[in-house]
């Protein structure tokens, strides 16, 4: 047997290299196919959001405000009043623009940081319920779906984490180049998170979602609650800041026109409830968020017309 001959059943080095190249090519092809599939799904989801922007960002929060107030005032029958499935469904629908808009920027690092934020959200709320720290003594007035340990809502991260993301994204967009400085970006984002709760908590107390014992001076909300939000908001903002590549995230929020629609829903829903209950200072803070959104130059008359159902938009333009 000559030197150039290989024993039967033994792979030569060239054959091994060829097999490795083929495997690598196959892996690359699989990766490309997976990426193409993800891109196609992303395009379909974005198209779905764009086609239903008005319904998601305006109709759902307006209907939500009406049904929550009607529930609080005893105008709805028991099966519908504060129905947790309806509350969770409406919340998920209103969150959908944020989720779909952020998907292209979610990688392993983002998943890890958001996972830590989810764990922290449960932990700080559980500590708050059991010890009255750091928010002050409070108790839930209704069950917002299944309860973890029969004490806090299982869906709590769905309610809390997007509030932080919305505040952070608006901060990036409004600050623009100044947001490159963490000493400017992070405190501004934390302040925006606290401002979110200046709108949320008075309205939630008004409709009986939860109550503070004893009631505080800000529409039933004590100052200790905002000390707690300063703590939890700071931790949450830092984790969100670590989760994403800031430049890529800023580019995404600049180019994805519906990414802040969840914040629009928030302002409409909780701002309207505050107005209906005469919480004028809280409603004024909601108005400041409106000004911030208008400052981004993406929520004007022309965009409203494009977000309206086709027939309505055409009638308005005619």
């Amino acid at each position: 047997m000559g030197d150039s001959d290989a024993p039967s059943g033994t792979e030569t080095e060239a054959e091994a290299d060829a097999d490795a190249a083929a495997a690598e090519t196959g892996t690359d092809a699989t990766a490309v196919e997976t990426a193409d599939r993800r891109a196609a799904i992303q395009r379909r989801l974005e198209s779905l959001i764009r086609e239903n922007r008005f319904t998601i960002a305006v109709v759902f929060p307006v209907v939500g405000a009406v049904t929550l107030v009607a529930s609080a005032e005893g105008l709805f029958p028991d099966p519908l009043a504060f129905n947790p499935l309806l509350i969770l469904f409406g919340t998920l629908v209103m969150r959908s623009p944020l989720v779909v808009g952020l998907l292209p920027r979610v990688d392993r690092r983002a998943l890890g940081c958001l996972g830590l934020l989810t764990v922290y959200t449960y932990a700080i709320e559980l500590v708050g319920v059991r010890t009255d720290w750091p928010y002050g003594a409070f108790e839930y007035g209704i069950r917002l779906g299944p309860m973890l340990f029969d004490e806090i809502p299982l869906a709590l991260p769905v309610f809390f984490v997007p509030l932080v993301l919305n505040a952070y994204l608006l901060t990036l967009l409004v600050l623009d180049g100044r947001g490159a400085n963490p000493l400017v970006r992070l405190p501004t984002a934390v302040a925006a998170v606290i401002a979110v709760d200046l709108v949320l908590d008075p309205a939630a107390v008004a409709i009986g979602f939860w109550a503070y014992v004893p009631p505080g001076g800000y529409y039933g909300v004590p100052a200790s609650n905002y000390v707690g939000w300063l703590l939890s908001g700071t931790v949450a903002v830092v984790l969100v800041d670590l989760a994403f590549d800031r430049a890529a995230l800023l580019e995404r929020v600049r180019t994805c026109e519906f990414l802040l629609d969840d914040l629009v829903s928030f302002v409409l829903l909780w701002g309207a409830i505050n107005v209906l209950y005469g919480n004028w200072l809280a409603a004024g803070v909601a108005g400041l968020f409106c000004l911030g959104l208008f400052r981004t130059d993406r929520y004007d008359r022309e965009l409203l017309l494009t977000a309206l159902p086709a027939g309505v938009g055409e009638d308005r333009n005619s």
Side-chain angles (χ1 to χ4, degrees):
M1 182 180 294
D3 292 340
S4 61
D5 296 328
S8 176
T10 302
E11 187 177 52
T12 65
E13 184 177 346
E15 289 171 336
D17 290 342
D19 289 344
E24 184 176 351
T25 300
T27 300
D28 290 344
T30 301
V32 170
E33 183 180 350
T34 301
D36 288 344
R37 190 182 304 115
R38 288 184 60 182
I41 293 173
Q42 181 70 29
R43 286 193 297 270
R44 286 197 291 270
L45 290 173
E46 291 184 7
S47 177
L48 182 64
I49 297 297
R50 289 190 178 98
E51 291 170 2
N52 296 280
R53 284 188 72 189
F54 186 79
T55 299
I56 295 170
V58 177
V59 175
F60 262 80
V62 169
V63 172
V66 171
T67 56
L68 289 176
V69 171
S71 297
E73 297 300 318
L75 301 178
F76 268 14
D78 287 340
L80 294 178
F82 292 129
N83 185 290
L85 292 180
L86 291 178
I87 292 173
L88 184 57
F89 173 72
T91 302
L92 291 174
V93 171
M94 289 185 286
R95 297 290 189 250
S96 59
L98 177 68
V99 174
V100 171
L102 282 180
L103 274 178
R105 294 295 176 263
V106 175
D107 54 16
R108 291 182 180 178
R109 183 178 77 177
L111 287 174
C113 289
L114 294 177
L116 286 175
L117 178 54
T118 297
V119 173
Y120 174 77
T121 300
Y122 284 129
I124 194 70
E125 190 77 358
L126 196 60
V127 169
V129 169
R130 291 180 176 180
T131 69
D132 301 336
W133 181 90
Y135 305 108
F138 74 99
E139 55 188 23
Y140 284 98
I142 65 171
R143 295 179 69 90
L144 297 171
M147 303 292 281
L148 185 65
F149 305 124
D150 203 35
E151 294 177 284
I152 60 175
L154 187 61
L156 183 64
V158 176
F159 299 125
F160 175 72
V161 174
L163 300 181
V164 179
L165 289 169
N166 283 325
Y168 183 82
L169 293 173
L170 182 63
T171 297
L172 287 186
L173 200 56
V174 171
L175 289 179
D176 198 19
R178 290 171 295 169
N181 184 348
L183 296 180
V184 174
R185 180 177 72 251
L186 297 180
T188 304
V190 172
V193 170
I194 295 174
V196 162
D197 195 54
L198 286 170
V199 177
L200 171 63
D201 245 293
V205 168
I207 61 176
F209 267 24
W210 51 78
Y212 292 89
V213 184
Y218 179 67
Y219 305 116
V221 184
S224 60
N225 173 67
Y226 295 102
V227 175
W229 271 73
L230 177 61
L231 170 63
S232 58
T234 299
V235 174
V237 164
V238 169
L239 286 172
V240 169
D241 195 63
L242 293 173
F244 299 96
D245 177 271
R246 186 186 54 80
L249 187 61
L250 178 57
E251 181 62 23
R252 180 61 178 169
V253 74
R254 282 173 176 165
T255 57
C256 182
E257 74 277 13
F258 58 77
L259 190 52
L260 287 173
D261 281 6
D262 183 36
L263 184 56
V264 175
S265 300
F266 171 85
V267 169
L268 288 176
L269 173 62
W270 298 106
I273 292 174
N274 279 311
V275 168
L276 290 172
Y277 281 94
N279 300 339
W280 300 114
L281 183 55
V285 178
L288 292 177
F289 274 107
C290 288
L291 292 178
L293 289 166
F294 281 123
R295 187 179 173 184
T296 65
D297 296 328
R298 62 177 59 201
Y299 296 101
D300 51 21
R301 181 178 181 275
E302 182 180 352
L303 183 58
L304 176 61
L305 292 177
T306 62
L308 286 170
V312 178
E314 291 169 3
D315 291 343
R316 293 285 186 86
N317 282 317
S318 60

